Amino acid sequence: MTIVLKDAFWNRYTELIRNEMIPYQWDVLHDQADIFIDKERDDAAIPSEKSHAIENFNIAAGNKEGNHYGWLFQDSDVYKWLESAANSYALHPDDKLLSMIDEVVSLIEDAQEEDGYLSTYYQIEAPELRFRRLFESHELYCAGHLIEAAVAHYKATGSKRLIKVSEKFVECIQASFGPEKGKVNGADGHQEIELALIKLYEVTGNTDYVDLSKWFLEIRGTDPHFYSKQLEENKDRGLNQGHIPHINTAYHQAHKPIYEQEEAVGHAVRLVYIAATMAEVAAIHQDEKLFKTAQRLWENIITKRFYITGAIGSTVHGEAFTFDYDLPNDTMYCETCASIGLLFFAQAMLKNKIDVEYAEVMERTLYNTIISGMALDGKHFFYVNPLEVNPLASSSDPGKSHVKATRPSWFGCACCPPNIARTLTSLNKYVSTSYENNLYLHLFMDVEGTVKVGGQSIDLSQKVNMKEQGVVEITIKNVKEPLTIYLRLPSWGDNFHITGKYSGPVINENGYVSIEVTEDTQFRLTFDMPVLMHQAHPLVRDNRGKVAIQRGPFVYCLEEEDNGEDLHLLSLTERPVVTEMSDHSLGDYVGLKAKGKRAIIDDSWNNQLYQALGKESKEETFEEVDLNFIPYHLWANRSKGEMMVWLKTDNIEY
Amino acid sequence: MTIVLKDAFWNRYTELIRNEMIPYQWDVLHDQADIFIDKERDDAAIPSEKSHAIENFNIAAGNKEGNHYGWLFQDSDVYKWLESAANSYALHPDDKLLSMIDEVVSLIEDAQEEDGYLSTYYQIEAPELRFRRLFESHELYCAGHLIEAAVAHYKATGSKRLIKVSEKFVECIQASFGPEKGKVNGADGHQEIELALIKLYEVTGNTDYVDLSKWFLEIRGTDPHFYSKQLEENKDRGLNQGHIPHINTAYHQAHKPIYEQEEAVGHAVRLVYIAATMAEVAAIHQDEKLFKTAQRLWENIITKRFYITGAIGSTVHGEAFTFDYDLPNDTMYCETCASIGLLFFAQAMLKNKIDVEYAEVMERTLYNTIISGMALDGKHFFYVNPLEVNPLASSSDPGKSHVKATRPSWFGCACCPPNIARTLTSLNKYVSTSYENNLYLHLFMDVEGTVKVGGQSIDLSQKVNMKEQGVVEITIKNVKEPLTIYLRLPSWGDNFHITGKYSGPVINENGYVSIEVTEDTQFRLTFDMPVLMHQAHPLVRDNRGKVAIQRGPFVYCLEEEDNGEDLHLLSLTERPVVTEMSDHSLGDYVGLKAKGKRAIIDDSWNNQLYQALGKESKEETFEEVDLNFIPYHLWANRSKGEMMVWLKTDNIEY
């Protein structure tokens, strides 16, 4: 299946990644960029002087002398860069990029141990602790990213060099892990190898990798004391200076076996990575029990722990889920990587069951939180994607120090930027899936190429316009046998019409309309894109009396630049309408405008913090104002200021 | 001046302190109580196994062998217990209590070094670091509490034993601190000695103590690198294993000289302790510059950083102030001790200038946050006094782990409980002040006794009833010369009437009504006590569209026990009215009741987190409900549940 994105909206991002981000990250990884590395939050323990990631490999390979610097998982920055670079190379072959890729591949080969092991921190600093402090070692997490890079590299270049490195590392892992005496009978503290092994299986066909992935899935949480026992057993190896830290196993989703986990808890990225793997293995094995487990977590997230921007993770503490309906807008974490993981999870769910809800979550994450993670210059990134920001609070309230009002240029823990890059350079794989002689079209992006449907390869072209109206034009060529095409009817659309040559249509329970095609054809799906004012479930305390605006796949927000300061004094008094906008700094986008009110701060408040209603204070007065909305993902690309997604309403008619 | 509280409301607390808290704390300090020591929040570094405070003194005195356990400031628990016990003894002389007091006094005498130094941590663990890591050592903080205990002990018993210990310690401090070479030229990281030295001056008349206090006030912040330099200089003494921590000097109000400090920043307790001292020294020296400095901080707090419950400290991070109008109701700190410090500050301001605003702040802190700090059983205590609590959030959101839904029995850092005890056992000193032949009556508490006014001592009796109406009956006897009595007209009262024998009244700018008295007399001030619905300044984001209810000095709240769960679904639709209540578990109190609405969670929300208005969701429906309010300080004395002070309103008439 080789469909290619021809979408101006998305290719702007892949171009930024190719022209700005990949070279920039290259410089960062080589400690050549003149950058300020920001801290994610006020925490002295966060390394932030430099990346040192390539240098760590050079030291591990014996090319240089020195110490490891950075996080235990610093290697993964290199692997994620490599995966992005390979994906980008596949889109735009380029000799210079290839030689950069080759240089890194060689360095990785050189750094790998004879027996396949590869983790620069442990190789340089603590070889005696190999696989012995899994709760935080990230050795298999890094192995996972190595494998994902290898798969991308192989697909882009045809070279198996990194696949060989990966398979050798997996042999080392197979030899080291398992229930046998002397082996490690547990899983890494950060899920990732599980997902990567599925990808390695997909390119090698070796089902051992699926088995190993499933073993890691199922061993997790069977012994909730595994991590602390491991530390206890290896105390004499200079581990943590003999101090055994308290381990919050729920953070690692290792508090109980996966089959007993009812709710999405702990570190959000870890949770969606493992949940995605459950769905992947379920699809490969047709494993109903695993699928049900994944579904239970999915439902808990989507119906109770999910932000309207496609984000997850309600607290910075452990970058974690909290509890049902707890969705604060200004203290949350909403990590870019967590939404990327949720995208993986949704796609894996689609492999088990076609349902519009999975596609809609993919879309919501992509068009909102994931691209909010990257500035329009391709050089500044958000880890944390708030739904409400007051820059003064970010700078003056330590509890909001993680909520940045502008995108920093790089982070001490640089997981998000390369994760965005590898994801946006491989969007083609999310657009469609096929099963038997059915072709499902999930996302409204311009694509062209060949897809396999049942026994035949057909040529597919999808052209989308989502400005005034939704218009999706699909051209199918090279049809030799009858096939069924399923078009997603987006929940945010209305008045759907299909015109063209086909039989049907049938509107299916799963939210797709299916049409029967027996020959080359062209058809067109059109729909209205009304401005939606979303309410949140009444138990979401922070959103009471407020609405969030959406049109098409885009959630909207108010920025101080367009609406003045103190956004909390504003309320919406009518449904917003489309005002096509073009701001030279934001590019083309569809803006929205509405009438609203702004509370006036009366003079009686001078030097008063509280006033008794009817005694000291009068009824509040308001002025009518225009409210100007921009798509959420565009925020923080102009002046530093307040931003707000959920907005109060006042006597609104709808 | 010896007026005695005869107030049933307040004496209930002093009885609890005498009968429950003092014996209980005695057991805790001696590690005899069968208690669970709670942690203030999720932090492994907080010592919580036991108190060990008396044991530390025994070890320092050489009576026992062993190591110090607990905080660097563990000694202050003993001193604060002693101060409370002495205060309580003054109210109710009791041989058993006196022998407990004597035992502790002897232990303190025994533990003091020859040269006057006394700090069990440094004596036992690190004598070479004496006064060498002032940013966190709390040596002078503990010295301050020793002095305050000594003053209380002397006043209660007439014994100067602890005054001698204190003066000897102060000599040691005078010999160790100052601008001279070889001396320490800076102030303790936790203010307290400053305030204590004023009290020592008050009982000894030694003005050197005022000078030393002022020196500590003024040296602070003159070298913002003082603390880190001290650590650097003493690195070779095994300090912090050579690691120099980052010091946030604003936390200690040591970022600039006090005269340049424009806003209340940093740790809230530290700020109010030092501000109170500024006002005390200003009053003694008639120092306008110091008073202006104190006034500036006062105004910043009261007009921009002050909770309606009399609490301060908007964040748990550093237990600190944040920025203007940032007053979150559910993540704040609002430490009991900070309100106690604010009470001290207000009282000290009154010594410079009589203004009703200082008295009102004293009252607001006392009737709300300070007594909220203690359960009705006298054995459970709040550190943190939230204005909104959801127990599920406290247990499931680590960002709210400090916001307890029930009062724990004791804390690892036990500063608040004994601070409440020493304050509530000395309330008589806040009721009135006199200046020349003027007597000012600030608080509406039942008192009896003799007060000095100008050259004469008069007999004063004040009897208060604040149930249906405010009634304050004042009887003055033994009048020999004319005097002026100033009665506070509370901002929360209305329709003031004075009846009795006097000339006047004159309503003064400072908010007091003054009457002239030339002979023994009796008069009565009556006023209405309407239910007030307070609005917050529009820039207080968290209180938009909400009101807080107050009647008399009491702020009210809703509890789940009376109003069901999900308090955020409620809104107020009319002004509450008085319903006198008597709940056998809460005692007598004036309850309030009002009509309100509760939002109904429609079935359409089943498994939906977001719905588009007008498309999927209907207009919200409500049911009419009765809302039942109790005084804020009584919350969390029944079942564990939600609590809320600021409540949404809906089309309210006023």
Side-chain angles (χ1 to χ4, degrees):
Chain A
M1 197 163 84
T2 51
I3 63 170
V4 177
L5 235 66
K6 298 284 183 185
D7 191 290
F9 178 84
W10 289 103
N11 284 348
R12 174 177 161 200
Y13 287 96
T14 54
E15 285 300 285
L16 278 173
I17 289 163
R18 187 165 72 94
N19 296 322
E20 302 294 341
M21 199 164 160
I22 289 173
Y24 181 78
Q25 288 188 21
W26 172 266
D27 287 347
V28 171
L29 296 172
H30 287 78
D31 303 318
Q32 288 163 358
D34 179 20
I35 50 163
F36 171 73
I37 297 185
D38 211 308
K39 291 191 181 192
E40 291 85 77
R41 54 186 175 271
D42 287 345
D43 183 344
I46 295 177
S48 66
E49 277 173 39
K50 57 191 169 187
S51 163
H52 207 258
I54 290 291
E55 200 70 358
N56 291 336
F57 276 93
N58 269 313
I59 296 164
N63 301 336
K64 296 207 179 169
E65 301 228 320
N67 284 102
H68 183 275
Y69 177 87
W71 294 96
L72 292 166
F73 49 85
Q74 207 78 352
D75 295 357
S76 66
D77 289 359
V78 173
Y79 301 142
K80 280 193 267 186
W81 177 86
L82 193 57
E83 188 180 345
S84 317
N87 286 346
S88 187
Y89 180 81
L91 300 175
H92 288 273
D94 165 345
D95 285 348
K96 189 174 165 221
L97 181 58
L98 188 60
S99 73
M100 288 156 82
I101 290 171
D102 283 345
E103 186 184 318
V104 175
V105 170
S106 298
L107 186 58
I108 294 170
E109 286 172 339
D110 292 347
Q112 187 170 36
E113 300 281 320
E114 276 306 308
D115 70 348
Y117 184 82
L118 183 50
S119 167
T120 67
Y121 175 81
Y122 287 93
Q123 290 173 273
I124 298 169
E125 302 295 338
E128 71 284 5
L129 289 174
R130 185 201 272 203
F131 298 139
R132 288 180 195 274
R133 56 176 196 194
L134 283 176
F135 88 104
E136 68 164 11
S137 75
H138 286 77
E139 287 156 290
L140 303 188
Y141 169 83
C142 289
H145 279 299
L146 165 65
I147 293 167
E148 295 210 62
V151 170
H153 180 246
Y154 166 64
K155 286 183 176 172
T157 66
S159 158
K160 287 211 161 186
R161 284 170 66 189
L162 272 185
I163 295 286
K164 279 187 194 138
V165 171
S166 298
E167 295 201 278
K168 201 167 148 193
F169 196 170
V170 175
E171 274 172 43
C172 166
I173 293 167
Q174 286 166 323
S176 307
F177 285 79
E180 299 85 0
K181 201 171 149 56
K183 289 187 171 186
V184 180
N185 199 28
D188 194 277
H190 197 317
Q191 298 88 325
E192 160 62 23
I193 184 81
E194 295 86 349
L195 204 47
L197 285 166
I198 301 303
K199 294 197 176 169
L200 191 59
Y201 152 75
E202 285 169 354
V203 295
T204 62
N206 185 341
T207 56
D208 288 353
Y209 301 148
V210 182
D211 295 343
L212 182 58
S213 173
K214 195 178 181 201
W215 185 81
F216 279 127
L217 284 185
E218 293 185 331
I219 193 70
R220 178 174 302 273
T222 50
D223 176 2
H225 304 294
F226 167 71
Y227 293 128
S228 47
K229 277 186 196 162
Q230 229 200 0
L231 292 180
E232 196 62 49
E233 282 162 15
N234 295 290
K235 225 162 51 171
D236 54 347
R237 295 174 198 259
L239 199 64
N240 303 304
Q241 291 94 39
H243 169 72
I244 305 289
H246 168 75
I247 295 173
N248 171 11
T249 50
Y251 171 83
H252 308 275
Q253 293 85 36
H255 52 309
K256 43 186 164 182
I258 56 165
Y259 297 114
E260 296 170 20
Q261 298 192 21
E262 304 279 340
E263 293 181 324
V265 298
H267 188 255
V269 172
R270 284 170 166 82
L271 186 281
V272 283
Y273 277 16
I274 198 177
T277 313
M278 291 176 203
E280 293 283 0
V281 176
I284 294 166
H285 285 174
Q286 301 286 303
D287 182 332
E288 193 61 22
K289 187 178 168 197
L290 255 183
F291 180 59
K292 283 255 179 291
T293 305
Q295 230 175 358
R296 203 162 55 218
L297 295 173
W298 175 271
E299 194 176 307
N300 181 240
I301 295 172
I302 303 305
T303 66
K304 303 197 174 68
R305 303 179 181 203
F306 181 52
Y307 284 88
I308 198 159
T309 49
I312 49 175
S314 295
T315 179
V316 59
H317 300 273
E319 307 171 352
F321 293 100
T322 54
F323 57 97
D324 288 349
Y325 302 112
D326 182 43
L327 296 162
N329 294 313
D330 58 350
T331 56
M332 65 310 99
Y333 205 62
C334 290
E335 185 179 345
T336 311
C337 284
S339 285
I340 290 171
L342 187 57
L343 170 72
F344 301 162
F345 186 15
Q347 191 200 20
M349 292 302 273
L350 274 175
K351 295 179 185 175
N352 290 276
K353 183 183 166 194
I354 300 291
D355 194 301
V356 73
E357 77 164 310
Y358 303 124
E360 295 237 328
V361 168
M362 292 202 309
E363 185 180 75
R364 191 173 288 280
T365 62
L366 276 169
Y367 284 83
N368 299 287
T369 291
I370 294 176
I371 48 173
S372 162
M374 182 167 145
L376 292 179
D377 67 0
K379 293 182 188 172
H380 296 81
F381 311 96
F382 276 136
Y383 238 68
V384 170
N385 296 280
L387 285 81
E388 188 172 325
V389 170
N390 173 6
L392 183 59
S394 297
S395 62
S396 309
D397 174 359
K400 292 178 182 158
S401 72
H402 63 292
V403 184
K404 310 283 183 199
T406 50
R407 291 175 184 81
S409 60
W410 199 256
F411 291 99
C413 171
C415 74
C416 296
N419 218 353
I420 298 172
R422 73 183 184 125
T423 303
L424 297 189
T425 49
S426 59
L427 283 183
N428 56 341
K429 66 183 175 197
Y430 301 99
V431 174
S432 65
T433 51
S434 64
Y435 175 67
E436 295 177 347
N437 60 344
N438 305 305
L439 174 65
Y440 303 92
L441 295 172
H442 305 299
L443 297 178
F444 301 111
M445 297 176 179
D446 288 3
V447 292
E448 263 177 35
T450 312
V451 290
K452 257 193 109 185
V453 185
Q456 65 183 328
S457 283
I458 62 156
D459 294 337
L460 167 72
S461 157
Q462 175 176 272
K463 283 205 168 68
V464 181
N465 186 323
M466 295 198 294
K467 289 227 155 175
E468 277 153 60
Q469 220 202 355
V471 182
V472 184
E473 249 178 32
I474 291 160
T475 310
I476 305 282
K477 287 185 183 159
N478 206 15
V479 173
K480 294 184 185 107
E481 293 165 34
L483 72 155
T484 310
I485 297 180
Y486 288 79
L487 303 175
R488 181 178 136 235
L489 300 184
S491 64
W492 41 261
D494 209 352
N495 283 329
F496 296 97
H497 287 279
I498 307 179
T499 52
K501 247 189 337 179
Y502 60 89
S503 352
V506 178
I507 294 177
N508 296 273
E509 265 184 33
N510 61 14
Y512 290 74
V513 62
S514 59
I515 58 182
E516 307 296 329
V517 172
T518 52
E519 57 187 326
D520 290 5
T521 182
Q522 193 171 25
F523 48 86
R524 173 189 284 232
L525 170 68
T526 58
F527 48 86
D528 293 343
M529 294 170 61
V531 175
L532 302 176
M533 298 185 292
H534 282 290
Q535 286 186 309
H537 191 288
L539 292 181
V540 181
R541 290 173 187 244
D542 295 79
N543 295 344
R544 289 290 298 152
K546 296 180 180 177
V547 293
I549 307 302
Q550 181 175 351
R551 183 176 179 271
F554 297 106
V555 172
Y556 281 74
C557 68
L558 296 177
E559 270 202 309
E560 181 175 335
E561 169 128 356
D562 305 310
N563 300 284
E565 60 178 5
D566 298 324
L567 297 179
H568 72 284
L569 296 178
L570 299 172
S571 47
L572 185 71
T573 54
E574 64 171 26
R575 188 185 293 268
V577 295
V578 170
T579 54
E580 194 153 341
M581 298 232 188
S582 178
D583 179 302
H584 68 96
S585 56
L586 296 182
D588 283 337
Y589 67 96
V590 175
L592 302 178
K593 181 172 280 200
K595 286 271 174 270
K597 322 193 297 186
R598 172 180 277 275
I600 294 168
I601 302 178
D602 195 81
D603 287 346
S604 71
W605 284 109
N606 280 346
N607 276 333
Q608 295 274 2
L609 191 49
Y610 304 106
Q611 292 187 352
L613 253 173
K615 191 176 177 196
E616 299 153 296
S617 78
K618 300 170 298 198
E619 206 160 349
E620 212 160 33
T621 54
F622 295 88
E623 55 178 338
E624 195 181 286
V625 291
D626 286 331
L627 301 178
N628 292 292
F629 298 82
I630 61 166
Y632 171 75
H633 71 273
L634 290 175
W635 86 275
N637 275 293
R638 296 173 298 173
S639 59
K640 185 172 179 172
E642 295 177 35
M643 184 277 290
M644 178 179 272
V645 169
W646 288 93
L647 171 67
K648 275 194 302 284
T649 57
D650 197 330
N651 289 319
I652 206 159
E653 280 184 38
Y654 55 91
Chain B
M1 195 164 85
T2 51
I3 62 170
V4 178
L5 236 64
K6 299 284 183 186
D7 193 288
F9 179 83
W10 288 103
N11 284 348
R12 175 176 161 200
Y13 286 98
T14 54
E15 285 300 285
L16 278 173
I17 289 164
R18 187 165 72 94
N19 296 321
E20 302 294 342
M21 198 163 161
I22 289 173
Y24 180 78
Q25 288 188 23
W26 171 267
D27 287 347
V28 171
L29 296 172
H30 287 77
D31 304 317
Q32 290 163 356
D34 179 20
I35 50 162
F36 172 72
I37 297 185
D38 212 307
K39 291 191 180 190
E40 292 86 77
R41 53 185 175 271
D42 287 346
D43 183 343
I46 295 177
S48 67
E49 276 173 41
K50 57 192 170 185
S51 163
H52 207 259
I54 290 291
E55 199 70 357
N56 292 335
F57 276 93
N58 269 314
I59 296 165
N63 302 337
K64 296 205 181 169
E65 302 228 320
N67 284 101
H68 181 276
Y69 178 86
W71 294 96
L72 291 166
F73 47 85
Q74 208 79 353
D75 295 357
S76 66
D77 288 0
V78 174
Y79 301 141
K80 280 192 268 185
W81 177 87
L82 194 56
E83 188 180 344
S84 317
N87 287 346
S88 187
Y89 180 81
L91 301 175
H92 290 272
D94 165 344
D95 284 348
K96 186 169 167 229
L97 181 58
L98 187 62
S99 74
M100 289 156 82
I101 291 172
D102 283 345
E103 185 185 318
V104 175
V105 170
S106 299
L107 187 58
I108 294 170
E109 287 172 338
D110 292 347
Q112 186 169 38
E113 299 282 318
E114 275 306 306
D115 70 348
Y117 184 83
L118 182 50
S119 167
T120 67
Y121 175 80
Y122 288 93
Q123 291 172 273
I124 298 168
E125 301 295 340
E128 71 285 5
L129 289 174
R130 182 201 275 204
F131 298 140
R132 288 179 195 277
R133 56 175 195 194
L134 283 176
F135 88 105
E136 68 164 11
S137 75
H138 286 77
E139 287 156 290
L140 302 189
Y141 169 84
C142 289
H145 279 300
L146 165 64
I147 293 168
E148 295 209 61
V151 170
H153 179 246
Y154 166 65
K155 286 182 175 172
T157 65
S159 157
K160 286 210 160 186
R161 283 171 67 190
L162 271 185
I163 295 286
K164 279 189 195 136
V165 171
S166 297
E167 295 201 279
K168 199 167 149 194
F169 196 170
V170 174
E171 274 173 44
C172 167
I173 293 167
Q174 286 167 323
S176 306
F177 286 79
E180 299 85 359
K181 201 171 150 55
K183 290 188 171 185
V184 180
N185 199 28
D188 194 276
H190 198 317
Q191 297 90 324
E192 160 61 24
I193 184 83
E194 296 84 350
L195 205 47
L197 284 166
I198 302 303
K199 295 197 177 168
L200 191 59
Y201 152 75
E202 286 169 353
V203 295
T204 63
N206 185 342
T207 57
D208 288 352
Y209 300 148
V210 182
D211 296 342
L212 182 58
S213 174
K214 195 176 180 204
W215 185 80
F216 278 128
L217 283 185
E218 294 186 331
I219 193 69
R220 179 174 301 275
T222 51
D223 176 1
H225 303 296
F226 166 71
Y227 294 128
S228 47
K229 276 186 196 161
Q230 227 199 1
L231 292 180
E232 195 61 49
E233 282 162 16
N234 295 290
K235 227 166 42 174
D236 55 345
R237 295 174 198 258
L239 199 64
N240 305 303
Q241 291 92 39
H243 169 73
I244 304 290
H246 169 75
I247 295 174
N248 172 10
T249 51
Y251 171 82
H252 309 274
Q253 294 86 36
H255 53 307
K256 44 186 165 182
I258 55 164
Y259 297 114
E260 296 169 21
Q261 297 191 21
E262 303 280 339
E263 293 182 325
V265 298
H267 187 257
V269 172
R270 285 169 165 83
L271 186 282
V272 283
Y273 277 17
I274 198 176
T277 314
M278 291 176 203
E280 293 283 1
V281 176
I284 294 165
H285 286 174
Q286 302 285 303
D287 183 331
E288 193 61 21
K289 188 179 168 197
L290 255 183
F291 180 58
K292 283 255 179 292
T293 304
Q295 229 175 359
R296 204 161 54 218
L297 295 173
W298 174 271
E299 193 176 307
N300 181 242
I301 294 172
I302 303 305
T303 65
K304 302 196 174 68
R305 303 179 180 202
F306 182 53
Y307 284 89
I308 198 158
T309 49
I312 48 175
S314 295
T315 178
V316 60
H317 300 273
E319 307 171 351
F321 293 100
T322 54
F323 56 98
D324 289 349
Y325 302 111
D326 182 43
L327 296 162
N329 294 312
D330 58 350
T331 58
M332 69 307 98
Y333 205 62
C334 291
E335 186 179 344
T336 312
C337 284
S339 285
I340 290 171
L342 187 57
L343 170 72
F344 301 162
F345 186 15
Q347 191 201 20
M349 292 301 273
L350 274 176
K351 294 180 186 174
N352 291 275
K353 185 185 165 193
I354 300 291
D355 194 300
V356 74
E357 78 165 309
Y358 304 124
E360 296 239 327
V361 168
M362 291 201 311
E363 183 180 76
R364 192 173 287 280
T365 61
L366 276 169
Y367 285 83
N368 299 286
T369 291
I370 294 177
I371 47 174
S372 163
M374 182 168 146
L376 292 179
D377 67 1
K379 293 182 191 174
H380 297 82
F381 311 97
F382 276 137
Y383 237 68
V384 170
N385 295 280
L387 285 81
E388 188 172 325
V389 169
N390 174 6
L392 183 59
S394 296
S395 62
S396 309
D397 174 359
K400 292 178 182 157
S401 72
H402 62 292
V403 184
K404 310 283 183 200
T406 49
R407 292 176 184 80
S409 60
W410 199 255
F411 290 99
C413 170
C415 74
C416 295
N419 219 351
I420 298 173
R422 70 183 184 125
T423 303
L424 297 189
T425 49
S426 58
L427 283 182
N428 56 342
K429 67 183 175 196
Y430 301 99
V431 176
S432 64
T433 52
S434 64
Y435 175 68
E436 295 177 347
N437 59 345
N438 304 306
L439 174 65
Y440 303 93
L441 294 173
H442 305 299
L443 297 178
F444 301 111
M445 297 175 179
D446 288 3
V447 292
E448 263 178 34
T450 312
V451 290
K452 258 194 107 185
V453 185
Q456 65 183 326
S457 282
I458 62 156
D459 294 339
L460 167 72
S461 156
Q462 176 176 270
K463 283 204 168 70
V464 181
N465 186 323
M466 295 199 294
K467 289 225 156 179
E468 279 153 59
Q469 220 202 354
V471 181
V472 184
E473 249 177 32
I474 290 161
T475 310
I476 305 282
K477 287 186 183 156
N478 205 16
V479 173
K480 296 186 183 107
E481 293 165 36
L483 73 154
T484 310
I485 296 180
Y486 288 79
L487 303 175
R488 182 178 135 235
L489 300 183
S491 65
W492 41 262
D494 210 353
N495 284 327
F496 297 95
H497 288 279
I498 307 178
T499 50
K501 243 187 344 174
Y502 59 88
S503 354
V506 178
I507 294 177
N508 296 275
E509 265 184 34
N510 62 14
Y512 290 75
V513 61
S514 59
I515 58 183
E516 306 297 327
V517 171
T518 51
E519 56 188 326
D520 290 4
T521 180
Q522 192 171 28
F523 48 86
R524 172 190 283 233
L525 171 68
T526 57
F527 48 85
D528 292 344
M529 294 170 61
V531 175
L532 303 176
M533 298 185 292
H534 281 290
Q535 286 187 307
H537 190 289
L539 292 181
V540 181
R541 290 174 187 243
D542 296 78
N543 295 344
R544 290 291 298 152
K546 297 180 179 177
V547 294
I549 307 302
Q550 182 174 351
R551 181 174 180 271
F554 297 106
V555 172
Y556 281 74
C557 69
L558 295 177
E559 271 201 309
E560 182 175 335
E561 170 128 355
D562 305 310
N563 300 282
E565 61 177 5
D566 299 325
L567 296 180
H568 71 284
L569 296 178
L570 299 172
S571 45
L572 184 70
T573 54
E574 65 171 25
R575 188 186 292 268
V577 295
V578 169
T579 54
E580 194 154 339
M581 298 231 188
S582 178
D583 178 302
H584 70 96
S585 55
L586 295 182
D588 282 338
Y589 66 96
V590 176
L592 302 178
K593 181 172 279 201
K595 286 270 174 269
K597 323 193 295 185
R598 173 180 278 275
I600 293 169
I601 302 177
D602 194 81
D603 286 345
S604 70
W605 284 109
N606 281 346
N607 276 332
Q608 294 275 2
L609 190 50
Y610 304 106
Q611 292 186 351
L613 253 173
K615 192 179 177 194
E616 298 152 296
S617 78
K618 302 170 298 198
E619 206 162 346
E620 213 160 33
T621 53
F622 295 88
E623 55 178 340
E624 195 183 285
V625 292
D626 286 332
L627 301 178
N628 292 292
F629 298 83
I630 62 166
Y632 171 75
H633 72 274
L634 290 176
W635 86 275
N637 275 293
R638 296 171 298 172
S639 60
K640 186 171 177 172
E642 295 178 36
M643 185 277 291
M644 179 179 272
V645 169
W646 287 94
L647 171 66
K648 276 194 303 285
T649 57
D650 197 331
N651 289 320
I652 205 159
E653 278 184 39
Y654 55 90

